[in-house]
Amino acid sequence: MFNIFRRKSEKKVEEKVDEKKKVEEKEEYVSEEEIIKELDLEELPPEEEIIFEEEPEEIKKENNKIKKLDIDELSPKPSNKWRMGLTKTRTSFFGRIKNLLSGRTKIDPELLEEMEEILIQSDVGVETTLKIVSNVRERVKNEKLEGTPNLITQLLKDEMTKILGTEKQSLDVESHKPFVIMVLGVNGTGKTTTIAKLSAKFTKEGKKVILAAADTFRAAAVDQLEIWSQRVGGLDFIKHQEGSDPAAVAFDAIQAGIARKCDVVIIDTAGRLHTKKNLMEELKKIKRVSDRALPGAPHEVLLVLDATTGQNAISQVKQFKEAVEVTGIALTKLDGTAKGGIVIAIKDEFGIPVKLVGVGEKLDDLEDFSPKEFVDALFE
Ligand SMILES: Nc1nc2c(ncn2[C@@H]2O[C@H](COP(=O)(O)OP(=O)(O)OP(=O)(O)O)[C@@H](O)[C@H]2O)c(=O)[nH]1
Ligand SMILES: [Mg+2]
């Protein structure tokens, strides 16, 4: 009996995932209107059109100045940036949970099933979702909470916190000198941009940074990193010719980092080679050779994932993890997606912490990931 039940529910989950995949194939970027439509939230009433008389030129100029000041002051404070970055995920996720709870008087199997659907659609992942919902169901039963549906939010928060922990897991660059960071990820996820943002952050903290342009596969990759390094300013930069051995670039950069008393060495790697096997072998070699240049290096193997790719990012973790031991994740483009739930899936499935989040394209659009703020921001 239980098995039949289980199979039925698993089939439903599979159907939901298929449905979601179909939607994902179409959607790259979810606009606010789409979220509102999808969530069946009330649409905002159309604004009345107001016609103003033309202002004199002088007043226009003054107004423009004031407008600019207002915008500067209103722009989010840095510590809030990644919370702003979660806006789309929050609107989608919490908006649905709120809808789900309105008018309910009981936590019943139907409510839990709908909650399961919302979690899967928010990219929390099937396995992780089933675990969360099953734990919530247990607690409701054991603590006799059936009559208090508004406690669902707290129960969900508790389950997410259980998975993510409460500690911030940022990069501990003080632990070694130089601290070597190897950055990996498929092409276009945001490796080079994240390296630039990290370099800017370390430079601001007074640390000396050296970059290794170990993506020798694409000539433009070296140029792109070099342009960023000039934009940040004050960075040391090691490059070889196009097509040369990336492991040799990493080796040179680490040796130069030691000789020049740098605090941090950051190695940019290729996102694509002729074959995936080649790429993985190359990464293994860079890691081995780094350890030869400085025993214990790299101290951080940072996998960069594009949050907008949702479950695809999960399969990337699997592939990279097989080749090299990934110690942390930088999740980029959180600002453009409602798929922030993958943070929970990644930690639950692989035990790898998200350490950094990218919330925009500018140099200061990188934040340390804080599990507590993440969970709070989802339910704000
Ligand atoms: N909105 C947004 N865009 C980002 C973020 N991080 C990176 N990008 C953009 O993503 C694009 C690709 O970034 P790159 O840093 O070149 O990616 P990459 O992984 O180095 O790519 P390859 O070198 O081709 O492997 C660029 O247009 C970046 O501006 C982010 O956090 N938010
Ligand atoms: Mg790059």
Side-chain angles (χ1 to χ4, degrees), residues 154-281:
Q154 190 53 47
L155 295 177
L156 270 177
K157 265 186 166 181
D158 289 351
E159 290 308 316
M160 290 180 177
T161 307
K162 246 195 248 169
I163 293 171
L164 294 174
T166 47
E167 293 290 306
K168 244 189 188 182
Q169 303 237 19
S170 32
L171 306 185
D172 186 14
V173 291
E174 312 281 347
S175 60
H176 296 88
K177 188 172 166 129
F179 187 87
V180 180
I181 306 171
M182 177 175 166
V183 180
L184 0 145
V186 303
N187 58 304
T189 50
K191 293 181 295 299
T192 306
T193 317
T194 302
I195 290 171
K197 290 172 178 175
L198 269 177
S199 310
K201 175 178 179 279
F202 294 141
T203 306
K204 236 191 227 166
E205 292 168 2
K207 297 185 172 77
K208 191 166 154 60
V209 179
I210 184 164
L211 301 183
D215 180 356
T216 58
F217 186 65
R218 271 191 320 124
V222 178
D223 297 341
Q224 193 196 357
L225 189 67
E226 199 158 19
I227 291 167
W228 271 118
S229 94
Q230 283 156 2
R231 225 179 273 175
V232 175
L235 306 180
D236 283 20
F237 192 81
I238 300 291
K239 65 175 173 181
H240 289 187
Q241 275 170 349
E242 187 188 345
S244 59
D245 184 354
V249 183
F251 188 87
D252 276 2
I254 294 173
Q255 288 222 315
I258 297 168
R260 300 178 200 174
K261 299 193 169 36
C262 291
D263 298 289
V264 188
V265 180
I266 311 181
I267 306 166
D268 190 16
T269 65
R272 180 169 41 193
L273 286 190
H274 297 297
T275 69
K276 201 168 72 197
K277 189 163 178 290
N278 279 354
L279 177 63
M280 296 305 168
E281 288 308 315

Side-chain angles (χ1 to χ4, degrees), residues 279-330:
L279 177 63
M280 296 305 168
E281 288 308 315
E282 180 172 295
L283 294 174
K284 281 186 205 169
K285 186 173 170 197
I286 296 175
K287 189 164 184 277
R288 261 195 330 266
V289 169
S290 298
D291 181 60
R292 226 175 290 149
L294 176 66
H299 307 104
E300 181 79 48
V301 178
L302 194 64
L303 176 63
V304 180
L305 299 175
D306 175 342
T308 63
T309 61
Q311 293 305 300
N312 215 333
I314 302 278
S315 60
Q316 287 165 22
V317 182
K318 276 191 199 130
Q319 288 169 15
F320 280 95
K321 199 174 152 273
E322 269 172 32
V324 282
E325 190 198 337
V326 176
T327 57
I329 294 201

